[in-house]
Amino acid sequence: MASAAAAGPPPGPAAPKSRKSVTGTRRTVAALFLLPALVLLGALVVYPIGYSIVRSFYNASGDGFAGVDNYKALFTDDGIRTALKNNIIWVVFAPTVSTALGLIFAVLTERVRWGTAFKLVVFMPMAISMLAAGIIFRLVYDQDPDKGVANAVWVGVHDTFAQSSAFPKAHPGRESPLQPDQGGFITTATVHTGKAVALPLVGVAPDQMPDGAKKAVAATAEPGKITGTTWQDFTRGRGVGKLGAPDPSELGYAGMRIEAVKDGKVVATAKAAGDGTFTLPTTADGARLRLPASNFKEPYNGVDWLGPALVTPAIIGSYVWMWAGFAMVLIAAGLAGVPRELLEAARVDGANEWQVFRRVTVPLLAPVLAVVTVTLMINVLKVFDLVYIIAPGSSQDDANVLALELYRKGFAESQPGIASAIAVFLLLLVIPVMLFNIRRLRREVRR
């Protein structure tokens, strides 16, 4: 026992040795490797941000200190206020619609055999630059239905239910008995039963005459009725044909509507036959004959997509076309990691597909949806190319956004102080979104 006590307590565990880094390098060596990246980061990010902050407090020439005047312009300049309003619309709608479509596409493509091909087609616009997409949609939104796909479809649907007039360019010629009246034409004198009336017009190209048009025929007078003819009173060739009377080569205005008007009221109506002839009853005696404005309605030319009212939604539509595929791919990747047993358990418990989607799928995909939405929010704050290319000069002010206004102030209007203030303001708008994203990522790591 004494010898054991003299020997002292048993030796404790050996002191831990200092660990070296995995690569076996020292901190100074690691810093040297990081130095080029830090230099680039400082030159391309830190320095421009710092210079923009300093420059935002100086006037246009850069010689005088302007204080906060440039920042005051952000809320007093009409162009910047419009850009700020449009940016709010962009941030609210563009990421929301893109994410919603991506979610729908990702869920539905899981249920079809050709889902991979569909995803490829939807994602393909991501391979196109913003410049190319802007040029494509500038053509898509062209006002002319013969050029713009959007208006070609819209006009086709509209004309299916409300066909346009065949005589938009028709008007009275020389020595005509007609005069203008409320968008149409009316006879200068009253008409009476037992007499034939001539209502000649010109201005319709031969190839644009109605399909039912036939050779015009002079109406025969009938007792107790008013008869007449309305036709294209024009024959090609100088000195050919006779004014005020149908010639052999002239066609009738098939389908032309004629109204008999007394004291401002329509007392009788008629529709011209293929040869342009029409007949009105005795009630039209003593009335004036009117060709109403509906006969001369211009063809429907579609929607002015790039006009002041619709230019921003139209451009957002092009953005959604590009980025819905991005959202779909990320959400589909998240959907692949969702435990299938949870979905099956919900179905076994009696939930229908909509309830499974709303109560199970969407909550499980919430982190992915947050990533996609935040990423797109940051992206739309700097949107520039689409607005610059798609919006025509006449409505570019109405489609203006902060990134475009920064460009215009800095280069077109030579106001670098205000342009720098806009850049700093955009940075301040992005910071809260980035902080939210960082906090969300940290919560995910803790889990």
Side-chain angles (χ1 to χ4, degrees):
M1 295 293 292
S3 62
K17 298 180 179 180
S18 59
R19 295 181 179 179
K20 295 183 179 181
S21 63
V22 176
T23 58
T25 58
R26 298 180 180 179
R27 292 183 179 179
T28 53
V29 177
L32 288 175
F33 275 102
L34 291 175
L35 185 60
L38 293 175
V39 171
L40 286 176
L41 185 66
L44 300 179
V45 178
V46 178
Y47 173 75
I49 291 176
Y51 181 79
S52 296
I53 294 173
V54 173
R55 188 66 181 83
S56 66
F57 291 102
Y58 284 82
N59 58 17
S61 62
D63 299 331
F65 185 74
V68 295
D69 290 346
N70 291 328
Y71 289 95
K72 288 180 180 179
L74 298 181
F75 304 98
T76 56
D77 185 276
D78 290 338
I80 300 177
R81 287 165 62 184
T82 301
L84 180 59
K85 180 193 71 175
N86 287 335
N87 262 104
I88 294 173
I89 295 173
W90 272 87
V91 169
V92 171
F93 290 100
T96 304
V97 176
S98 299
T99 305
L101 285 177
L103 175 61
I104 293 171
F105 291 155
V107 171
L108 293 182
T109 50
E110 280 202 334
R111 301 175 176 271
V112 294
R113 293 181 179 178
W114 39 269
T116 303
F118 181 83
K119 289 178 182 178
L120 178 63
V121 172
V122 175
F123 187 76
M124 195 176 295
M126 283 295 300
I128 303 174
S129 68
M130 286 281 196
L131 176 64
I135 294 173
I136 291 171
F137 275 87
R138 181 65 181 268
L139 295 174
V140 168
Y141 291 132
D142 195 285
Q143 181 67 40
D144 187 354
D146 293 332
K147 297 179 182 178
V149 175
N151 267 338
V153 174
W154 193 265
V155 169
V157 173
H158 174 275
D159 288 351
T160 301
F161 301 98
Q163 194 168 3
S164 301
S165 168
F167 320 109
K169 303 296 183 181
H171 60 275
R174 294 177 295 160
E175 302 177 12
S176 175
L178 296 167
Q179 64 183 17
D181 178 73
Q182 300 178 4
F185 306 100
I186 194 169
T187 56
T188 55
T190 57
V191 297
H192 298 279
T193 57
K195 294 184 178 179
V197 182
L199 302 179
L201 294 169
V202 295
V204 180
D207 59 342
Q208 294 180 354
M209 291 293 286
D211 295 336
K214 302 176 182 178
K215 290 184 178 181
V217 176
T220 304
E222 297 182 19
K225 296 180 181 179
I226 297 173
T227 57
T229 304
T230 177
W231 78 101
Q232 173 82 350
D233 191 19
F234 177 79
T235 302
R236 290 186 176 180
R238 181 175 294 182
V240 179
K242 182 181 179 182
L243 288 176
D247 293 311
S249 63
E250 296 173 351
L251 300 175
Y253 281 146
M256 178 74 76
R257 179 180 172 85
I258 300 96
E259 297 176 344
V261 181
K262 281 186 182 179
D263 301 326
K265 297 181 180 180
V266 178
V267 296
T269 61
K271 194 173 184 180
D275 57 6
T277 59
F278 61 88
T279 303
L280 290 165
T282 307
T283 54
D285 185 57
R288 297 168 69 187
L289 300 188
R290 181 172 65 190
L291 306 178
S294 59
N295 291 316
F296 312 102
K297 183 173 59 176
E298 291 285 343
Y300 183 65
N301 204 33
V303 178
D304 188 8
W305 297 104
L306 300 182
L310 294 176
V311 62
T312 295
I315 299 174
I316 290 177
S318 66
Y319 178 90
V320 170
W321 176 77
M322 288 192 67
W323 288 89
F326 168 81
M328 178 196 65
V329 169
L330 291 186
I331 295 171
L335 192 60
V338 172
R340 300 299 165 181
E341 56 270 17
L342 295 179
L343 303 180
E344 293 302 326
R347 294 187 181 101
V348 170
D349 289 341
N352 57 36
E353 291 302 320
W354 168 246
Q355 290 172 327
V356 171
F357 173 76
R358 186 165 60 92
R359 298 293 182 88
V360 181
T361 305
V362 172
L364 290 175
L365 288 176
V368 179
L369 296 177
V371 170
V372 174
T373 304
V374 170
T375 302
L376 294 181
M377 287 175 67
I378 296 173
N379 185 267
V380 298
L381 282 173
K382 58 183 183 179
V383 67
F384 165 80
D385 316 60
L386 289 177
V387 181
Y388 186 73
I389 298 298
I390 296 177
S394 58
S395 57
Q396 196 169 86
D397 289 340
D398 300 282
N400 200 10
V401 290
L402 288 174
L404 177 58
E405 186 65 16
L406 186 156
Y407 168 80
R408 294 168 70 175
K409 292 294 184 187
F411 297 96
E413 301 179 17
S414 299
Q415 298 185 48
I418 296 179
S420 299
I422 295 174
V424 174
F425 184 65
L426 277 173
L427 176 64
L428 294 176
L429 291 177
V430 171
I431 287 175
V433 182
M434 294 181 64
L435 291 177
F436 169 80
N437 210 19
I438 292 172
R439 291 180 61 185
R440 188 198 57 74
L441 289 173
R442 286 178 176 174
R443 286 198 299 269
E444 290 296 320
V445 171
R446 293 193 191 103
R447 292 177 185 177

